[in-house]
Amino acid sequence: MKSSRSCNLTMVLLAAAIASILIPYSEAKVSSGKVHLSGAQTESTLVKFAVSPSSTGKIDVLLTSYGMYENELELKMHIYADEEWPAVKRSTLCSEKVRMAQKSLPIVFDYKGTRPDTRPGKKKTDRAEIYTSRILTEIKNPPDGRLARGNKDGRKDRSRYFYFLVDDCSLERYNHDDKAPDITFDATVLNGGNHLPADEAGIGVLLVLTLAFSGAL
């Protein structure tokens, strides 16, 4: 009996040690992908992220363009709160959607030179002109921006999803699809002081507590 209790105590202590090591150093949520804008698809969603109440979300986005983006005037990253998101999805025009954004950030590419083309399907000898743009910004929760028309609930202080999009509304007015190069992105998002979205932040703690409880039985 004493041996069993000793084993259970060891399991509890081990779980506590794992929690102390893993929980403070949870990795940031990182998303990577490809963006190719056109007249038929003027926007592309980079990431959806939940931010805790009374907190501030932070995002760091690196965009890489394989070729020069010739008309950057309306190339932007927009951030939407979940109250507006249904209306954004219903809207058919890019110009209507961006009016509902909480934040609008210009995207300006810098030329980095000719480098190996690492896109899938390319040969090792292929090269491309590379341009990059980096965006670092914050979004408050609850946000300061106005509510979409018809929403009467106000900005409640709660966990809230935010949607981060890249768009170019000029594409729906001018036929220059062939001049929009392939773009890849790497996005890192932080939920206030935590490194996980609000809907995932408690999972690690829950697993450790479950392990500790199981060990104590």
Side-chain angles (χ1 to χ4, degrees), residues 89-171:
K89 296 297 288 182
R90 287 194 301 269
S91 298
T92 57
L93 295 177
C94 177
S95 55
E96 293 176 351
K97 296 178 182 183
V98 298
R99 295 193 191 108
M100 293 180 273
Q102 293 301 313
K103 211 164 191 178
S104 177
L105 300 152
I107 297 173
V108 179
F109 284 107
D110 295 320
Y111 180 58
K112 296 300 180 180
T114 301
R115 298 181 179 179
D117 193 337
T118 57
R119 287 175 291 178
K122 297 295 182 179
K123 299 177 181 178
K124 292 183 178 180
T125 56
D126 288 342
R127 298 178 68 82
E129 290 189 337
I130 302 297
Y131 298 76
T132 64
S133 178
R134 188 179 182 188
I135 298 175
L136 295 93
T137 193
E138 298 181 346
I139 186 74
K140 293 181 181 178
N141 184 30
D144 297 327
R146 64 179 179 80
L147 283 163
R149 185 173 55 190
N151 192 320
K152 300 177 182 179
D153 293 334
R155 295 288 189 194
K156 295 180 180 179
D157 191 11
R158 59 172 176 81
S159 293
R160 182 177 274 103
Y161 277 105
F162 290 92
Y163 299 80
F164 301 83
L165 279 69
V166 167
D167 55 59
D168 182 354
C169 290
S170 72
L171 290 168

Side-chain angles (χ1 to χ4, degrees), residues 15 42 73 126:
T42 55
L73 185 62
D126 288 342

